[in-house]
């Protein structure tokens, strides 16, 4: 098997983390995880009650990450030669792509991406990240996060926090719209 980003480099067998077999490129340090190896590692940790909607984008954590210089390069599956499908992972200030083969479902992580997925709590649900459902969920969560940051910048963190709390209370209350109407009347004056 050869590196998707360096077709002249043979991948070396090793371990990405305990009990997870992977094949890495000696030049770019990217890792190829075969689908069967991923499943063996993932299955014992998979949560049977898992739902995409409960998977939030953990954008509140302060994480900075410089994507690998090979991240933007397209590649072919080391096992079966299909073009790898790229999936964008967007966080606060960073965007990177993880890649997966549409044929054998193997996963390619450029250098540092696996560690990033792990920090974000996403490493045990990589196949989910390739679903449209998760992508749209992540977009909404990201937009919500940006709106909160902008609000906190305008109002200051203390008032912003109260506002978010109130918004949540009203959202959950069956007559919450009365509260919203009250606020709007206050500001019409
Ligand atoms: Zn490489
Ligand atoms: Zn493949």
């Amino acid at each position: 098997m050869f590196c998707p980003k360096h077709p002249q480099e043979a991948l070396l067998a090793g371990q990405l983390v305990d009990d997870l077999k992977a094949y890495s490129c000696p030049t770019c340090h990217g890792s190829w995880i075969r689908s069967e190896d991923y499943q063996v590692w993932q299955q014992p940790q998979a949560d049977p009650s898992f739902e995409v909607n409960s998977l939030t984008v953990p954008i509140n954590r302060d994480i900075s990450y410089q994507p690998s210089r090979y991240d933007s390069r397209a590649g072919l599956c080391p096992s079966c030669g299909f073009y790898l499908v790229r999936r964008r992972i967007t966080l606060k200030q960073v965007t990177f792509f993880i890649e997966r083969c549409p044929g054998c479902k193997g996963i390619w992580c450029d250098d540092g991406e696996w560690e990033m997925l792990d920090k974000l709590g996403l490493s045990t649900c990589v196949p989910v990240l390739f679903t449209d459902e998760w992508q749209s969920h992540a977009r909404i969560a990201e937009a919500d996060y940006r709106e909160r940051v902008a609000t906190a910048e305008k109002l200051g963190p203390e008032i912003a926090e109260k506002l978010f709390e109130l918004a949540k209370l009203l959202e959950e209350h069956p007559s919450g719209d009365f509260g919203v109407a009250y606020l709007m009347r206050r500001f019409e004056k």
Side-chain angles (χ1 to χ4, degrees):
M1 288 193 295
F2 294 90
C3 175
K5 313 286 166 110
H6 302 96
Q8 76 284 4
E9 287 282 15
L11 297 175
L12 307 173
Q15 271 198 338
L16 195 50
V17 287
D18 279 351
D19 303 323
L20 178 55
K21 260 209 278 186
Y23 300 81
S24 66
C25 169
T27 297
C28 66
H29 307 292
S31 300
W32 175 244
I33 309 160
R34 297 183 311 172
S35 177
E36 56 269 39
D37 294 333
Y38 182 75
Q39 278 172 29
V40 165
W41 172 81
Q42 183 231 14
Q43 246 148 31
Q45 356 197 7
D47 176 0
S49 64
F50 177 80
E51 277 179 40
V52 172
N53 288 340
S54 67
L55 179 68
T56 53
V57 187
I59 38 193
N60 290 323
R61 285 187 239 168
D62 228 349
I63 291 172
S64 66
Y65 171 60
Q66 186 61 46
S68 158
R69 53 197 279 242
Y70 302 109
D71 192 30
S72 54
R73 196 184 283 188
L76 301 177
C77 172
S79 301
C80 51
F82 281 117
Y83 262 108
L84 298 175
V85 172
R86 293 153 59 76
R87 221 20 146 166
R88 197 166 69 128
I89 309 290
T90 300
L91 308 160
K92 216 191 273 187
Q93 324 86 330
V94 286
T95 293
F96 64 97
F97 292 85
I98 51 169
E99 288 150 271
R100 192 170 72 143
C101 173
C104 66
K105 310 290 184 202
I107 301 158
W108 176 260
C109 288
D110 289 302
D111 190 21
E113 289 175 1
W114 176 266
E115 290 75 8
M116 205 56 209
L117 289 173
D118 191 43
K119 263 190 208 161
L120 297 167
L122 301 176
S123 61
T124 55
C125 56
V126 172
V128 174
L129 304 180
F130 284 83
T131 62
D132 292 340
E133 201 184 355
W134 190 80
Q135 286 289 308
S136 62
H137 178 68
R139 260 195 300 275
I140 293 166
E142 176 71 13
D144 180 59
Y145 167 74
R146 286 181 197 283
E147 197 176 32
R148 278 166 176 261
V149 170
T151 305
E153 274 169 10
K154 292 272 185 207
L155 300 180
E158 211 173 298
I159 297 180
E161 212 38 66
K162 283 186 177 149
L163 179 65
F164 302 146
E165 214 173 292
L166 178 63
K168 194 168 181 292
L169 285 172
L170 292 176
E171 239 169 38
E172 287 165 359
H173 196 285
S175 303
D177 52 337
F178 280 85
V180 176
Y182 169 78
L183 284 172
M184 286 177 68
R185 273 200 304 279
R186 285 288 297 255
F187 288 93
E188 271 165 12
K189 283 172 197 164

